[in-house]
C-alpha cells in the first residue's frame, strides 16, 4: 500500500507541477497578441480492484486545453477585413476630398476667376489689360486642370505601389501558414493533444492576413486549415501555398492588377472579386472613386474646351480674322489588350468625342465577336445594347463616335477612355491678346431713314456662316407684311418649323420670327413700316465690339452637360458632392467596423484572453496541490521506513 500511495502522490505532484507550468506559461504570454489561455485537464487514473473494492491510483493529465472559439475567431477575422478595407478606402478618398474642397488652389476658384475675366473683357472689349488678364486666368485654369489630374495620377501611382506591397505581404503570410500547417500536422497525431502555441500562431496569422484581404478558412483533417480568397481561389491547402502576382493590366500597362499564379500561368482576378482588407479597399477605391473622379474632371475640362472653342471660333478678333481654337481639344485614350491576336490591324484612332453634352463618367470595353463589337460600360460591366461596327455609318455611344478601321480577330479586346485625358491635355492655345475673338463677325443696323419703330437684333452666327461669310452688306426691305432679301433666306418659326425662300422672294414675316441668312441669324421687333430697311454686313470695326465675348461669358451658366441638364459649375459641384458623400460614408462605415471589431475582439478575449487575477488564484491552488502531493509522498516514505524497521 505504501508503494501505491507513493505512486498516487507522485501523479498528484506531476499534475500540480504541470498546472504550475501551464499557469506560468499563461502569465508569461498574457501580453502576447493572439495567445489563447491554456488549462490542465486532469482525470482519475484507472483504479485497481482489491476484492473489497477499487482503490484509486491517483491522477493523470488528459490534455492541455486551449481556450479558443472558432466562431469568435471567424467574427474577428471578418470584422478585421472590413475595418481594414474601410480604413484603406478612407485614407485614399480623403486625399481627393481635400483636393477638391480646397477653396484657394482648387479647380472651382480657377473656373470662377476665368469666367470673371471673360466678363471683364465683355465689359471692356477694347481694354488690352483685361484681355491680358483673361489669358492669364485661362492659363491658370489650364494649369489647375493639369495639376488636379497630376495629383490624381500620383494617388493612382501610390495605389499601384500599395497593391504590390499588399501582394508581397499576402504571399509571405501564405508561406508561413503553409509551414505552420505542416508543423501542426506533424504534432497532431493525437487529436486531444494539439500543439496549442502553434495553433495560436496560425490563428494570429489568419487575423493578420485579413488585414490585407478577406480570407475564408475551412478546417481540414489533422488540425490543418484550407485558406481561400476572392471567389474561392485557394491560397493555402495543407502545406502548399499559392501565390498572387502584381501584374500590369492587359489593356493598361500603367494599372497594376492582381493575378493568381498557378505554376507558370497567371490568371487575372477581377477587382470586385477581392473584397475586404487593405487590398480590397484599394481596388474598390480605384474602380469606384479614383477612376470616376479623374473621368469627371476630364469631362468638365472637355466641356469647357469644347463649348469655349465652338463659340470663340464664331467670333472676330482684333486682326479682323475669325477666332481660332482657344483651348487644346483632348484626344480620346484607347488601348488594345496584350492578349489580342498579333495579326490584328484594327485602329481606334478615329474614335472622337462628337457630343460633349452626352459624355458620361465611364470607360468602355469593346470585344470583337466575329461580326461586330460588344460594348461593356465600365466599371459596372453593364452590357450595352449598341454594337460598334467596323463599317459606316459610325456608331455613337454616350457622345463618343466609334469610327474603326482595320481588322480584328474574335476575342480581341479594346478599352476606350473618352475623358481620361481631358484634364491632362487641357492647354491654352491663344497667347496674343489681339487674337481673342471678342467681337461678332456681323454688324446689323436699321436705316436712318426708317419711319417705323422696328428694330433689328445684334445678330448671332453659327458655324455654317464662318465657312461662307457674307461678301458684302445684305439688305432686308419691309414691304407690307413681307420682307424682301437680296440673298436666300430661311425663316425659323416660333413653333420650330422652317421655311426657305430664294433671293427676291416675298417673305411673309411675323415679329419674332428668326431670319437665317447663310448662318447669320437676326430677328426684327417693333412695328416696321413699308420702305423700312435693315442691313446685315460683315463686321469691319470690331475693336471695341464685345458681342461674342458676352456669349462666351454665358457658357458659365449654360447647361451643356448631361444632355443639357447641368452647367459646368453644377457638374463640378456634383463631383465634389459625390466624393464628399462617399468620404463621409466610408468614415461612418469605418467607425462602425472598428466598433464591431472591438466588440468581436472583446468576445473572443472573454474566452481566450488571460485573466491575471484568475491565474494568480490558480498559482495558489496548484501550489497548495503541489505541497499536499509532497506531503502524501512524505507519508508514503515514512510508512515504507516503518515497514522496513518491522522486518528488522
Amino acid at each position: 500500500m505504501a508503494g501505491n500511495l507513493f505512486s498516487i502522490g507522485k501523479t498528484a505532484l506531476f499534475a500540480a507541477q504541470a498546472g504550475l507550468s501551464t499557469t506560468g506559461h499563461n502569465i508569461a504570454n498574457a501580453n502576447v497578441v493572439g495567445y489563447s489561455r491554456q488549462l490542465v485537464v486532469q482525470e482519475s487514473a484507472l483504479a485497481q480492484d482489491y476484492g473489497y473494492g477499487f482503490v484509486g491510483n491517483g491522477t493523470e493529465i488528459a490534455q492541455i486545453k486551449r481556450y479558443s472559439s472558432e466562431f469568435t475567431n471567424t467574427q474577428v477575422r471578418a470584422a478585421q477585413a472590413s475595418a481594414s478595407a474601410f480604413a484603406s478606402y478612407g485614407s485614399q478618398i480623403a486625399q481627393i476630398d481635400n483636393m477638391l474642397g480646397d477653396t484657394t488652389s482648387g479647380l472651382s476658384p480657377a473656373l470662377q476667376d476665368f469666367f470673371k475675366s471673360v466678363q471683364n473683357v465683355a465689359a471692356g472689349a477694347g481694354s488690352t489689360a483685361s484681355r491680358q488678364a483673361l489669358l492669364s486666368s485661362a492659363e491658370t485654369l489650364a494649369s489647375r486642370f493639369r495639376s488636379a489630374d497630376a495629383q490624381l495620377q500620383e494617388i493612382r501611382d501610390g495605389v499601384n505601389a500599395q497593391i504590390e506591397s499588399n501582394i508581397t505581404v499576402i504571399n509571405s503570410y501564405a508561406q508561413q501558414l503553409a509551414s505552420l500547417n505542416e508543423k501542426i500536422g506533424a504534432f497532431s497525431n493525437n487529436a486531444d493533444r494539439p500543439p496549442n502555441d502553434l495553433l495560436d500562431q496560425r490563428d494570429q496569422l489568419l487575423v493578420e492576413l485579413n488585414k490585407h484581404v478577406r480570407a475564408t478558412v475551412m478546417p481540414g483533417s489533422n488540425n490543418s486549415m484550407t485558406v481561400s480568397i476572392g471567389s474561392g481561389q485557394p491560397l493555402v491547402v495543407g502545406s502548399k501555398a499559392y501565390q498572387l502576382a502584381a501584374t500590369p493590366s492587359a489593356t493598361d500597362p500603367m494599372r497594376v492588377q492582381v493575378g493568381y499564379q498557378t505554376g507558370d500561368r497567371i490568371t487575372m482576378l477581377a477587382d470586385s472579386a477581392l473584397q475586404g482588407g487593405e487590398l480590397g479597399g484599394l481596388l474598390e477605391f480605384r474602380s469606384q472613386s479614383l477612376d470616376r473622379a479623374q473621368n469627371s474632371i476630364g469631362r468638365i475640362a472637355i466641356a469647357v474646351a469644347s463649348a469655349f472653342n465652338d463659340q470663340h471660333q464664331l467670333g472676330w478678333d482684333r486682326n479682323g480674322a475669325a477666332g481660332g481654337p482657344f483651348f487644346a481639344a483632348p484626344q480620346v485614350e484607347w488601348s488594345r489588350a496584350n492578349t489580342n491576336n498579333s495579326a490584328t490591324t484594327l485602329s481606334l484612332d478615329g474614335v472622337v468625342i462628337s457630343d460633349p453634352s452626352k459624355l458620361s463618367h465611364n470607360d468602355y470595353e469593346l470585344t470583337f465577336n466575329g461580326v461586330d463589337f460588344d460594348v461593356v460600360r465600365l466599371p459596372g460591366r453593364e452590357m450595352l445594347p449598341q454594337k460598334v461596327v467596323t463599317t459606316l455609318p459610325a456608331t455613337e455611344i454616350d457622345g463618343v463616335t466609334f469610327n474603326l478601321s482595320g481588322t480584328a480577330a474574335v476575342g480581341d479586346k479594346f478599352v476606350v477612355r473618352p475623358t481620361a485625358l481631358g484634364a491632362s491635355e487641357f492647354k491654352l492655345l491663344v497667347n496674343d491678346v489681339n487674337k481673342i475673338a471678342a467681337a461678332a463677325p456681323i454688324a446689323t443696323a436699321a436705316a436712318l431713314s426708317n419711319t417705323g419703330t422696328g428694330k433689328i437684333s445684334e445678330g448671332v452666327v453659327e458655324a455654317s456662316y464662318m465657312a461662307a461669310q457674307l461678301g458684302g452688306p445684305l439688305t432686308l426691305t419691309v414691304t407690307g407684311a413681307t420682307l424682301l432679301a437680296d440673298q436666300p433666306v430661311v425663316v425659323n418659326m416660333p413653333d420650330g418649323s422652317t421655311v426657305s425662300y430664294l433671293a427676291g422672294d416675298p417673305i411673309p414675316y411675323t415679329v419674332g420670327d428668326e431670319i437665317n441668312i447663310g448662318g447669320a441669324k437676326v430677328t426684327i421687333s417693333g412695328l416696321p413700316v413699308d420702305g423700312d430697311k435693315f442691313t446685315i454686313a460683315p463686321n469691319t470695326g470690331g475693336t471695341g465690339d464685345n458681342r461674342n465675348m458676352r456669349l462666351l461669358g454665358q457658357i458659365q451658366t449654360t447647361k451643356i452637360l448631361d444632355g443639357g441638364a447641368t452647367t459646368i459649375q453644377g457638374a463640378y459641384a456634383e463631383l465634389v458632392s459625390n466624393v464628399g458623400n462617399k468620404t463621409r460614408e466610408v468614415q461612418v462605415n469605418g467607425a462602425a467596423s472598428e466598433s464591431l471589431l472591438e466588440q468581436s475582439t472583446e468576445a473572443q478575449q472573454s474566452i481566450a484572453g488571460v485573466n491575471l487575477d484568475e491565474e494568480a488564484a490558480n498559482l495558489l491552488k496548484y501550489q497548495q496541490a503541489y505541497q499536499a502531493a509532497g506531503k502524501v509522498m512524505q507519508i508514503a516514505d515514512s510508512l515504507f521506513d516503518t515497514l522496513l524497521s518491522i522486518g528488522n
Side-chain angles (χ1 to χ4, degrees):
M1 289 295 293
N4 180 263
L5 184 61
F6 189 85
S7 297
I8 290 174
K10 184 175 67 173
T11 61
L13 190 69
F14 286 164
Q17 187 178 35
L20 285 169
S21 297
T22 302
T23 301
H25 188 58
N26 286 342
I27 293 172
N29 289 278
N31 295 319
V32 174
V33 177
Y35 177 79
S36 300
R37 68 187 179 95
Q38 300 174 16
L39 182 68
V40 174
V41 178
Q42 295 177 230
E43 62 183 22
S44 296
L46 185 63
Q48 185 174 353
D49 186 3
Y50 282 93
Y52 54 80
F54 287 87
V55 177
N57 282 322
T59 187
E60 60 184 25
I61 298 174
Q63 64 171 313
I64 306 298
K65 183 178 180 181
R66 170 175 171 261
Y67 281 84
S68 178
S69 167
E70 185 55 31
F71 174 74
T72 58
N73 290 347
T74 300
Q75 286 187 317
V76 169
R77 290 194 295 265
Q80 181 64 73
S82 180
S84 296
F86 283 120
S88 174
Y89 199 132
S91 65
Q92 296 296 329
I93 198 171
Q95 298 180 69
I96 301 179
D97 190 40
N98 293 335
M99 180 191 78
L100 296 178
D102 194 324
T103 57
T104 56
S105 60
L107 188 57
S108 183
L111 279 168
Q112 294 175 7
D113 288 345
F114 170 69
F115 281 107
K116 181 179 179 181
S117 296
V118 172
Q119 299 295 347
N120 288 339
V121 175
S127 170
T128 299
S130 63
R131 287 173 175 250
Q132 187 61 57
L134 171 60
L135 294 184
S136 178
S137 62
E139 182 57 52
T140 299
L141 176 62
S143 177
R144 292 283 175 83
F145 270 120
R146 295 195 300 271
S147 175
D149 185 83
Q151 291 182 60
L152 294 177
Q153 190 57 50
E154 287 179 6
I155 295 174
R156 188 178 298 279
D157 293 341
V159 168
N160 284 341
Q162 290 185 58
I163 289 173
E164 293 175 349
S165 175
N166 273 271
I167 289 174
T168 300
V169 173
I170 290 169
N171 287 340
S172 174
Y173 285 155
Q175 292 285 2
Q176 294 178 60
L177 286 167
S179 177
L180 281 171
N181 261 350
E182 185 175 19
K183 291 178 181 178
I184 290 170
F187 290 115
S188 296
N189 294 326
N190 189 324
D192 292 332
R193 298 174 185 175
N196 292 333
D197 292 335
L198 292 179
L199 293 176
D200 285 343
Q201 291 180 37
R202 188 177 65 182
D203 282 350
Q204 184 58 32
L205 268 179
L206 288 170
V207 173
E208 296 297 325
L209 175 62
N210 275 271
K211 290 182 180 180
H212 299 274
V213 67
R214 187 184 302 277
T216 303
V217 178
M218 293 293 293
S221 60
N222 212 24
N223 279 322
S224 69
M225 281 188 172
T226 297
V227 182
S228 59
I229 59 172
S231 53
Q233 288 77 17
L235 187 65
V236 179
V237 179
S239 60
K240 181 175 177 57
Y242 294 86
Q243 300 288 289
L244 301 180
T247 308
S249 168
T251 54
D252 183 359
M254 302 303 293
R255 187 185 186 93
V256 174
Q257 287 191 295
V258 182
Y260 181 75
Q261 189 167 350
T262 50
D264 295 332
R265 180 184 177 187
I266 296 178
T267 303
M268 304 305 295
L269 299 180
D271 289 354
S272 58
L274 294 167
Q275 298 181 352
E278 185 176 335
L279 179 61
L282 288 169
L283 295 173
E284 185 179 1
F285 160 74
R286 183 174 64 181
S287 62
Q288 298 298 325
S289 293
L290 179 57
D291 289 348
R292 190 182 192 278
Q294 193 164 28
N295 287 348
S296 294
I297 291 179
R299 186 177 79 124
I300 294 170
I302 290 170
V304 171
S306 176
F308 209 86
N309 285 351
D310 288 348
Q311 188 59 52
H312 191 259
Q313 292 176 99
L314 297 181
W316 217 244
D317 66 18
R318 276 182 172 179
N319 300 324
F326 199 82
F327 295 110
Q331 301 298 307
V332 172
E333 182 182 47
W334 66 274
S335 57
R336 65 182 78 241
N338 56 21
T339 55
N340 285 2
N341 190 299
S342 58
T344 294
T345 62
L346 190 78
S347 171
L348 277 70
D349 289 339
V351 178
V352 296
I353 296 171
S354 52
D355 189 348
S357 70
K358 297 179 182 178
L359 287 174
S360 71
H361 310 281
N362 305 99
D363 301 330
Y364 304 87
E365 181 183 272
L366 279 61
T367 305
F368 190 59
N369 58 28
V371 178
D372 46 31
F373 284 87
D374 296 320
V375 184
V376 170
R377 184 184 282 133
L378 303 175
R381 301 203 64 80
E382 172 193 1
M383 178 69 76
L384 301 184
Q386 302 100 316
K387 303 289 185 181
V388 171
V389 298
T390 56
T391 58
L392 293 176
T395 309
E396 181 182 318
I397 299 175
D398 294 344
V400 180
T401 297
F402 292 82
N403 190 0
L404 312 183
S405 60
T407 60
V410 175
D412 281 353
K413 292 182 182 296
F414 300 84
V415 170
V416 177
R417 304 187 66 198
T419 60
L421 301 178
S424 64
E425 294 188 352
F426 190 92
K427 296 179 178 65
L428 177 64
L429 297 181
V430 176
N431 54 18
D432 183 351
V433 294
N434 293 319
K435 292 185 177 181
I436 297 176
I442 60 173
T444 61
L448 295 177
S449 58
N450 288 358
T451 58
T453 59
K455 296 180 180 180
I456 187 170
S457 65
E458 292 181 340
V460 295
V461 299
E462 53 190 26
S464 60
Y465 174 83
M466 305 305 290
Q469 301 173 23
L470 290 173
L474 164 71
T475 301
L476 295 173
T477 303
V478 178
T479 305
T482 64
L483 295 173
L484 294 178
D486 50 15
Q487 290 191 30
V489 170
V490 175
V491 178
N492 300 324
M493 307 295 188
D495 62 3
S497 60
T498 61
V499 182
S500 299
Y501 299 91
L502 298 176
D505 286 347
I507 304 170
Y509 181 76
T510 303
V511 171
D513 290 349
E514 183 181 69
I515 302 171
N516 187 328
I517 306 169
K521 298 184 290 186
V522 297
T523 58
I524 296 176
S525 58
L527 296 174
V529 299
D530 283 349
D532 283 356
K533 295 183 178 182
F534 303 92
T535 58
I536 306 169
N539 187 7
T540 57
T543 302
D545 187 354
N546 68 350
R547 284 177 292 157
N548 195 52
M549 191 55 64
R550 293 206 313 267
L551 295 175
L552 286 168
Q554 293 174 10
I555 292 174
Q556 183 180 18
T557 56
T558 302
K559 295 180 178 180
I560 59 176
L561 285 166
D562 297 325
T566 308
T567 64
I568 292 170
Q569 290 285 0
Y572 186 75
E574 186 274 335
L575 169 61
V576 173
S577 174
N578 178 271
V579 172
N581 289 338
K582 188 63 179 179
T583 302
R584 180 58 180 163
E585 175 191 331
V586 171
Q587 289 173 344
V588 171
N589 289 336
S593 294
E594 287 290 345
S595 177
L596 179 60
L597 175 59
E598 183 178 345
Q599 294 173 20
S600 300
T601 302
E602 288 177 356
Q604 181 201 48
Q605 288 302 300
S606 69
I607 299 172
V610 175
N611 185 316
L612 292 177
D613 291 337
E614 180 182 351
E615 299 304 323
N618 286 339
L619 274 179
L620 292 175
K621 179 179 72 174
Y622 288 124
Q623 181 187 18
Q624 292 174 354
Y626 191 89
Q627 292 171 344
K631 191 66 175 178
V632 170
M633 293 183 69
Q634 182 183 4
I635 291 172
D637 182 64
S638 176
L639 291 174
F640 188 69
D641 288 343
T642 300
L643 289 174
L644 290 177
S645 66
I646 292 173
N648 292 331

